[in-house]
Amino acid sequence: MAAAAAPTGGRRAAASSTGTSGAAVPAAKTQKDDGALFVRSADTLRGDQPVAPTANTNHSISAAPPPPPWSDRPPLFAGSSKERHELKLACRSDPGVPPSLRCAVWTTSVMRAAHPHRPKEWADEYGTRSRVESIEHTWKLVLDQTFAAPEDEACATMPDFGLHQEDVEDLLRRSPHNGGKPLPQAGRRSLIRVLSVLRHMHSAIEYAPLVPDQAAILLTHMPEAYAYVTLREMVCDHSQFLPPSKVDHYSYCRAFAQLLK
């Protein structure tokens, strides 16, 4: 896991909720009043409102409130067998993992796979409120390392990681993650920030054209801080996720093509 160095300046001490600072938007924090003790999904890329879990849709884990005593661990990980069964059924049906849970489920799943020797409970914490401040703090540190001054961020362009320039333009102007329409300006800046930080903090990545699309997918359901932490683990454990070089990338592609035969 990459360790974040101390920031070069204090320009991000106060995080804005407008989507321009890179901090987690309020929708992604735990909503204790509706019984959800896991981090809620937030669409940072397109700016849509997150889907709230309700008792009348399959986005809920259980219509009943959790029985006391209640810990920091949500039904997603520590609920009754009935609740876990309901979640499994929801994940297997269309459209898969309930949108309101995707930030917690995706982040936690990557953490578990990237750190198989760690206790399962350690990875599961990344989906709960107990890790929100830590993840946001890490994000502020790496932002300050990447962009020493505000103008550096303002003039940043999107790293392509080996993706062809026409594909980069398609991702921004005819985005498959936005119904073929251009990404909103705030979403575009979020994508550029996440990819710029990843490039700066992990300069050993030689060729990984899947990274921009992967970042865009993550940002449709999580804040920049969570998208960065999830991508960081994926590039650090490239044996399971994203190959870091052109040789590895084409080896993965050939192996996949052989599996399809």
Side-chain angles (χ1 to χ4, degrees), residues 18 25 40 42 44 48 63 67 84 119 134 139 147 155 162 184 186 188 192 194 198 208 214 225 230 232 237 247:
T18 62
V25 294
R40 288 266 298 277
T44 307
D48 295 338
R84 290 195 297 270
S134 172
W139 177 236
F147 305 113
C155 64
R188 179 189 295 233
I192 290 173
V194 170
L198 192 70
Q214 185 65 61
T230 304
R232 178 193 67 188
D237 185 14
V247 171

Side-chain angles (χ1 to χ4, degrees), residues 29-37 40 52-53 65-66 129:
K29 291 186 181 288
T30 304
Q31 303 296 315
K32 191 172 182 179
D33 56 347
D34 64 6
L37 295 180
R40 288 266 298 277
R129 65 180 180 180

Side-chain angles (χ1 to χ4, degrees), residues 3 11 15 21 36 52 89 118 133 144 232 247:
R11 67 188 183 86
S21 70
L89 290 179
R118 289 267 197 168
E133 287 188 12
D144 279 326
R232 178 193 67 188
V247 171

